[in-house]
Amino acid sequence: MLPRRLRRSLRTGVRWKISVAIALVGALVALALSLVVHNAARVSMLDNARDVQDERIQFVQRQYEARGGNLPVGFRVNDPTMPRDLRLKALSGRRATFVSEPSNGVPDIWAAVPLSNGDLLSVHTRFTDRSATVMKDLDQALLIGSIAVVLGGSALGVLIGGQLSRRLRKAASAAREVAQGRTDVRVREAIGGVVRDETDDLAQAVDAMADALKQRLEAERRVTADIAHELRTPVTGLLTAAELLPPGRPSELVKDRAQAMRTLVEDVLEVARLDSAAERAELQDIMLGEFVGRRIAARASDGVRVDVIHESAVTTDPRRLERILFNLLANATKHARPPIEVSVEGRVIRIRDHGPGFPEDLLEEGPSRFRTGAADRAGHGHGLGLTIAAGQARVLGARLTFRNVRPPGSDPATPAEGAVAVLWLPEHAPTNTGSFPMLRLPQARK
């Protein structure tokens, strides 16, 4: 089995695969046709040469038997070098021609006929220089034609493969946008084109799948929101009734569980609202470092250290920013060990803890509701805190990334020494319609 790095290096595009395939097929066809044409032309020219020899020997035979005398150049009687097969045919009383292939590669053209006195008259000449020149020119023309066919086929393959490759790349790009949550994107519209082929069938299938998933997710969101909404009233009544209980340990347990259920219901409703993409930010101008320090100090968060490296003025929604900040802090407090370090550098907020790190599935796929992660960061909560933080970051046009901290140069299997959540606030605030300029933010290292 090939190593993983080598297997990656062998990957190539559809364009070049089609080009190589067409070039190979063109080369094979050109080679086969060249051999057929070369052999056919050679056989034809040899047949013509034998016909010429046959006519010459008939003419010389009539002249020699009628008048006698000297023979023309190349003609001999009872030539001892005559090929055996030709001699046997002539001795049998037949006129015959013969082609021999000497070691130098130039054919010898023979003709023989029996004379009336029983002798054998023969003629022997080499394949003419003119015929050899014609064959050489023909071979050169076939070679040039074969090269032209291969190059033309390669160019055609590049054009055809390039068009198919562009359509597939557009389809892949549109599919990635759909996977990122842009349900308005249609793969069939993205690839365009007039000609219908298998790429269109694939695009339509992806669009149909995206529509089905969208409908299913929307149905699940509505069901979740309806259940949470229906639970809000009885849970509120339960919490109110718990306040009327007499003081004591049982009352405190009832109040605590009722409050936990109310928090869960509110979180589920918030996730449902964020999933509907109907939330809009209420923007204000704030000094980011001052805002973070003041909010954390107001909560009297023990074990949290704030460091403002570089102050920056930002335009954002303070309520949603505070929600993100404290959800991240709550996650770090619940699953990690102090100290928890919060740093503000320009438009970037980093929250670092010293716990076992984020689970790998969260690093690869992002936060997901009701998924609390690995056993070393589980046991409490419902996985909604980071999901809400990520959803609120999308409303702000920000980007929330997660990574684990390991010693420099260590193996990926080495246990993490902590986790870092990084919030990248955008340079431009979202508009009142919820849209915002797309920015290329640095990738967080895992």
Side-chain angles (χ1 to χ4, degrees), residues 338-378:
I340 299 174
E341 303 167 356
V342 180
S343 63
V344 179
E345 184 176 1
R347 299 175 179 274
V348 181
I349 302 176
R350 292 180 176 85
I351 299 177
R352 189 211 193 282
D353 61 45
H354 293 78
F358 294 112
E360 291 299 323
D361 53 356
L362 185 144
L363 296 177
E364 295 176 0
E365 304 172 11
S368 178
R369 68 194 71 177
F370 302 112
R371 183 178 66 187
T372 58
D376 54 0
R377 284 184 76 94

Side-chain angles (χ1 to χ4, degrees), residues 108-122:
D108 291 333
I109 312 300
W110 289 81
V113 62
L115 299 174
S116 57
N117 59 4
D119 293 333
L120 299 180
L121 176 64
S122 64

Side-chain angles (χ1 to χ4, degrees), residues 129-177:
D129 294 339
R130 180 176 178 275
S131 299
T133 303
V134 171
M135 289 299 301
K136 182 178 180 181
D137 293 341
L138 177 61
D139 290 341
Q140 185 176 2
L142 291 175
L143 178 61
I144 295 174
S146 300
I147 295 175
V149 168
V150 173
L151 294 179
S154 300
L156 181 62
V158 170
L159 292 177
I160 297 175
Q163 181 181 8
L164 179 60
S165 178
R166 284 192 297 271
R167 288 166 64 85
L168 290 175
R169 291 181 187 278
K170 290 180 180 179
S173 177
R176 281 192 292 268
E177 293 183 8

Side-chain angles (χ1 to χ4, degrees), residues 41 48 98 137 140 147 153 155 178 190 203 280 290 310 317 388 402 441:
N48 290 335
F98 186 81
D137 293 341
Q140 185 176 2
I147 295 175
V178 173
R280 296 292 180 265
E290 179 186 354
H310 175 66
D317 187 330
I388 292 174
F402 305 91
L441 296 176

Side-chain angles (χ1 to χ4, degrees), residues 400-412:
L400 184 60
T401 61
F402 305 91
R403 66 180 178 90
N404 289 334
V405 179
R406 291 185 173 88
S410 61
D411 188 83

